[in-house]
Amino acid sequence: MTIAVSGEFGDELVRFVCYRIEDGRTLERESIRAADGLEALKRQLANLKVDLLIAGRISGSLERELFDAGINLITGVTGESDRVLRSYLNGTLKF
């Protein structure tokens, strides 16, 4: 499973951290600058084989596009990406 956690990082560019998860363990972690534009972001997440995007807030149009692309979504989540991921994996994520 691949999970992307989005947010704003030090340079204030929107980025996300992609985690490849297997058996509840993180096998790979990569910080990526989000593509500009709805279609480009949808393609980027699909190319990375993201199964789930955890984000603060997103537009309704992006939400529909991601749903249509088969990417699950959790919104209303903020915080440091590693903590967000841990909370999700142990079932304590609040959104």
Side-chain angles (χ1 to χ4, degrees):
M1 168 181 239
T2 301
I3 300 173
V5 179
S6 72
E8 290 185 10
F9 294 83
D11 56 7
E12 299 200 13
L13 293 173
V14 175
R15 295 183 181 268
F16 53 90
V17 180
C18 265
Y19 301 88
R20 196 164 58 90
I21 307 297
E22 191 173 295
D23 297 324
R25 298 178 66 190
T26 302
L27 301 180
E28 195 173 317
R29 179 188 189 281
E30 180 180 9
S31 179
I32 300 170
R33 184 174 187 279
D36 291 328
L38 202 64
E39 281 299 314
L41 180 58
K42 183 175 84 170
R43 274 192 311 277
Q44 183 181 34
L45 293 172
N47 289 339
L48 292 166
K49 297 182 173 53
V50 170
D51 300 294
L52 171 66
L53 173 63
I54 302 174
R57 41 180 206 158
I58 64 168
S59 69
S61 54
L62 178 56
E63 186 173 344
R64 285 186 297 280
E65 291 288 331
L66 294 175
F67 178 78
D68 290 345
I71 298 171
N72 293 307
L73 181 65
I74 296 174
T75 61
V77 178
T78 59
E80 193 271 324
S81 61
D82 290 342
R83 286 188 193 155
V84 168
L85 178 71
R86 275 193 306 276
S87 294
Y88 173 76
L89 293 175
N90 69 26
T92 61
L93 183 65
K94 296 187 185 334
F95 52 97

